[in-house]
Amino acid sequence: MIMGMKTLPPQAEMERAYRRSDAGYDGVFFLAVRTTGVFCRPSCPAVKPKPKNVEYFATTQESIFAGYRPCKRCRPMDTNGNPPAWVAQLLKQIEADPSIRITDDDLQTRRIHPAKVRRYFKEHYGMTFQTYQRTQRMGQALDRIRHGDDLTATGMTCGFDSVSGFRDAFERIFGRAPGKSRNADCIVAQMLESPVGPLITCATSRAVCFLEFADRRALESQLRGLSGHFKLPVIPGKNDLLKQLRDELADYFAGRLRQFQVALTYPGTPFQQKVWQQLLKIPYGQTISYAELAKRVGQPGAQRAVGTTNGQNRIAILIPCHRVVNQNGQLGGYGGGLWRKKFLLDHEQRLLSATT
Ligand SMILES: [Zn+2]
């Protein structure tokens, strides 16, 4: 349903389009702003974010599944003109309070036929009304997690009855299988708590293939990319490898483990492979510069390319991209947020100096 990939125009073109509020691009792409959690049409007059804070999506569904809320000014959900009044009313109510649940009974009470609602949402937004409500709750929940709220409290305040209900909803959204796979194998995904916030971990039956911070905006599209890479569906679950990973991570954060043992798989281009393999060789608690990394992969001067590839690492912490810093000793970038990079480096260095 929503997994059909629509391709996006080149980034420079999209940037130009939204800066000029070019209505010609409406419907071609949507821009989402990381700092506000809102997504817009390119023509929106209310939004002129810095390019580094923008994420692009081909459809409203993808924007929503990535945890963004529709802009109140340009109303990107109204893709085909204004929705009928009864739909607008529902959207408005959810927008005002994403934690409410509008059930079929509620709809009946308002003399709106649930089947009609179902059909409209399916047709126009590519998802059921219930899913739409859930994604809005989840978007709100992810927002809170991003701002450092406790997971339990978050689940509760966002209209989930329990922590397990929150987890289930999380898994339903982020662990969806993109289609039937003839292959018996699949990627199992599990959420883990850690001192640096909830982590999403994934493994095939053979190796760990993904570890990312749960609050990253692009998580859903990352998981979809993962599924595409391996040609396997991602489903919520557990296996022995994820269990081993959980134990090793617990040891790592407790300062009892320096070298992860669990099997990893990280398919990529030959260049990506080379970069990621070099990352694996950087010892615990040590850092190298992007320039040094470029040298080590045999491409001196290619700092930018190795920096980009470093950022494309799908297995955070275990493939220690956090151990690459700027030449001047500053931290440089980190997809999971600089505070996490600092946390990980401080953690490793503290333990290293305690034992030497
Ligand atoms: Zn807008």
Side-chain angles (χ1 to χ4, degrees), residues 204-244:
T204 66
S205 60
R206 296 201 191 121
V208 168
C209 58
F210 190 83
L211 190 158
E212 189 52 273
F213 306 102
D215 55 3
R216 290 202 65 184
R217 289 268 186 215
L219 192 61
E220 222 264 341
S221 55
Q222 283 179 314
L223 287 176
R224 218 173 311 146
L226 187 70
S227 171
H229 256 292
F230 287 88
K231 309 249 182 309
L232 295 173
V234 181
I235 58 159
K238 292 171 197 174
N239 65 14
D240 288 347
L241 286 158
L242 287 187
K243 189 178 172 304
Q244 185 186 347

Side-chain angles (χ1 to χ4, degrees), residues 282-288 296 320 322-324 345 348-349 352:
I282 309 172
Y284 180 91
Q286 292 185 27
T287 58
I288 65 166
R296 291 188 185 180
H322 60 277
R323 292 179 196 152
V324 185
L345 289 175
E348 293 179 4
Q349 276 153 12
L352 212 55

Side-chain angles (χ1 to χ4, degrees), residues 38-41 44 46-47 71-76:
V38 164
F39 74 96
C40 287
R41 313 161 182 267
C44 182
V47 62
C71 169
K72 292 181 187 183
R73 179 91 178 264
C74 66
R75 318 195 63 87

